[in-house]
Amino acid sequence: MIIRRNRGQQPGVVRKIVRRTRPAVGGNGPRREIVRRPPLVIGEGVVPPQRRSVRVGLAGRRFVIAAGGLAAVAALIAGAAWLYRSPYFRVETVEVQGTQRMSDRTIVAAADLLGRSMLTADLAAAQRAVYQLPLVSSVRIERDWPSTVRIIVEERRPWGTWEQAGVDYLIDREGVVIAVGERLPAGAPAIRSSEPGSRIVGDRVDYQAVDAAAEIYELLPRQLGTTVEEVAFIKGKGVQVTTADGQVALFGDSSSIAYKLAVWAALAAEARQRHIAYTTIDLRYGNRPVLQ
């Protein structure tokens, strides 16, 4: 049965015609299918699809680079601070090599490296401090990771004996006193000084006397065929040499020792030929020697 309802026109209601773009629920819409396309082969005349890329602005890239750099610097600073404070990189051992007369404790105390950071320890300053010790001729300091510092020392070597006021002093080639009350065996250079007073370890004796004695001990046996009995350093006269056959030569200062020895050798040869006897020769005036 069909019943028609006649409601009539309601006031205030506007009727409109609405067109739907989609099919109504339950209606027959257009049929859709999934179609699979074969992959494109890049070849002749075929252009591959272009990929879209997202570009970051220049300001954005600069910000990223700056942020990364700051982060790296902060990490380095933090790592360096940790290494500096870390107990694993502290000087725990100081090894000393090459000492004979010196105490290892003296060298370790002068270097002052125990407990310092292996990274920032000033080895140059420590080397200078050790070098100031009177018996040190040379010194080298090196790190041995992770916690050891090695100090290699070369001590001054005994060269001769300096006798002053009845006391023997062991000296090196530079005239530095190495020991008090010691003397090298016979044949080693020996200098007797007329100076008063005493010496201590680290003192330097007259360098001219040491230089002259070194040349005389080396050259005199070849020039005159005799050996040195004694080298004396006399105040007001300078260096005086006594040979094994009893002759005495006055050299004065340490200048021109080789020339003075050559003059002495020539005069000695002439004196033998002319049967001239002498006991003393004065070579202090260069080419004007005096025989006595």
Side-chain angles (χ1 to χ4, degrees), residues 91-99 104-105 107-108 111 113-114 139-144 147-153:
V91 179
E92 297 179 357
T93 305
V94 177
E95 295 181 359
V96 180
Q97 299 178 0
T99 55
D104 292 353
R105 292 183 178 180
I107 295 176
V108 172
L113 291 173
L114 278 173
V139 58
R140 186 176 77 255
I141 303 178
E142 57 189 27
R143 292 180 175 89
D144 187 3
S147 59
T148 300
V149 170
R150 186 175 297 107
I151 304 177
I152 300 95
V153 173

Side-chain angles (χ1 to χ4, degrees), residues 270-277:
E270 184 178 354
R272 284 193 300 269
Q273 290 178 357
R274 300 174 59 178
H275 304 286
I276 299 175

